[in-house]
Amino acid sequence: MTEPASLFSLGMTRFAKVRRDLEAVVVQGRVASGCYEFLLFGFKQGWACLFGGLMLALLLGTHFFYPADLPLHRYDFLTLAAVGIQALMLLLRLETLREAWVICTFHVVGTVMELFKTAAGSWIYPEASLLHIGPVPMFSGFMYAAVGSYIARIWRIFDFRFTGYPPRWTTILLAAAIYVNFFAHHWLPDLRLGLFAFAIFLFRRTTIWFTPFRRARAMPLLVGFFLVALFIWFGENIGTFANAWTYPDQKDGWHLVSIGKLGSWYLLMIISFVLVSLIHAAAPSEASIKPVSA
């Protein structure tokens, strides 16, 4: 039986029915229920990471197996493959139109940053390509889009609710300041420490409620930012290992990306989260708190 076509227009995907069926499973016993919730949590996380996971698989796969003598450059293949994945996800209703819009937004924001950072020598793309803007291959924007895609999908899949969320205008101000500092610190004093302090002050009382199975679970939002930033740092190490891009200190051979980059990803996470909060239908407010099941 197929889902009604109207579900897609309402922001639902084919995963919605799978999710409902899995959440309707009756599990007896505390231990069995806990194990099932853990597995369901992992399954939902994997589903939310679908686009990003496929992109990382493409980076590694093409690094090891892409033929060097093909007329199509590897970077161009990655760009076309990313576009193809997005088209298939929409056609197969694995992604909503709103999530596709999030990806487009992040692609633009990320590409602008890439153009500036490569010009400043922060990192380089060592391989040739035809589909590029200046020194930046078009596939690079999809790496930022993968972060936006994850946040948009996880927000819906885990039914995010918040307590203690700061006024929206303050989060927009913080995100804008972080984005400007990514550029301005090349000429002006780096305000990163001050931005960290501002973020901690704003979100110090914010709790995120998410529902893996039947009970709403809670976590400080600042901790959630850190955990996602940590996994992005892992992904960045995969990307540099696959020679998708390289940092100046990796010119003599690959090594782990500096742990200091984790701070940059933490701040980027805040920008990403605030952008999704503006696009997402559910406003992060006290009125949208989901009661904790007994």
Side-chain angles (χ1 to χ4, degrees), residues 29-111:
R30 182 186 293 269
V31 174
S33 179
C35 291
Y36 183 80
E37 180 175 355
F38 178 76
L39 292 173
L40 186 56
F41 174 83
F43 175 74
K44 288 182 174 182
Q45 285 282 353
W47 186 260
C49 292
L50 181 61
F51 180 65
L54 290 173
M55 286 300 299
L56 287 178
L58 280 169
L59 293 183
L60 280 175
T62 55
H63 174 63
F64 287 114
F65 305 114
Y66 197 77
D69 56 350
L70 282 185
L72 180 66
H73 295 299
R74 174 191 174 217
Y75 282 175
D76 295 331
F77 172 81
L78 289 171
T79 299
L80 296 175
V83 173
I85 290 171
Q86 281 301 298
L88 279 175
M89 289 177 71
L90 284 171
L91 288 173
L92 299 176
R93 294 189 205 166
L94 301 179
E95 183 176 75
T96 67
L97 293 173
R98 182 180 293 120
E99 289 162 359
W101 172 244
V102 168
I103 285 176
C104 290
T105 302
F106 274 81
H107 196 291
V108 172
V109 171
T111 299

Side-chain angles (χ1 to χ4, degrees), residues 12-34:
M12 305 294 283
T13 68
R14 291 190 184 278
F15 177 73
K17 184 178 186 303
V18 176
R19 174 187 170 189
R20 288 195 300 267
D21 291 343
L22 291 174
E23 291 173 345
V25 171
V26 176
V27 183
Q28 300 294 336
R30 182 186 293 269
V31 174
S33 179

Side-chain angles (χ1 to χ4, degrees), residues 223-243:
V223 174
F225 287 158
F226 172 77
L227 292 175
V228 177
L230 181 62
F231 277 93
I232 295 174
W233 181 76
F234 290 149
E236 183 179 34
N237 277 286
I238 293 174
T240 54
F241 174 79
N243 206 42

Side-chain angles (χ1 to χ4, degrees), residues 181-182 184-186 188-195 267:
N181 188 67
F182 274 130
H185 80 86
H186 288 276
L188 302 174
D190 191 347
L191 302 179
R192 188 170 310 188
L193 292 179
L195 293 170
L267 293 175

Side-chain angles (χ1 to χ4, degrees), residues 124-172:
I124 63 170
Y125 290 91
E127 299 183 22
S129 65
L130 294 176
L131 302 175
H132 60 84
I133 301 176
V136 179
M138 292 297 293
F139 84 86
S140 66
F142 283 104
M143 305 310 297
Y144 293 88
V147 177
S149 171
Y150 169 78
I151 298 173
R153 291 159 71 85
I154 207 72
W155 194 309
R156 172 174 53 81
I157 291 170
F158 282 94
D159 195 18
F160 281 178
R161 300 291 185 267
F162 304 86
T163 53
Y165 199 86
R168 178 167 282 180
W169 70 268
T170 62
T171 67
I172 296 173

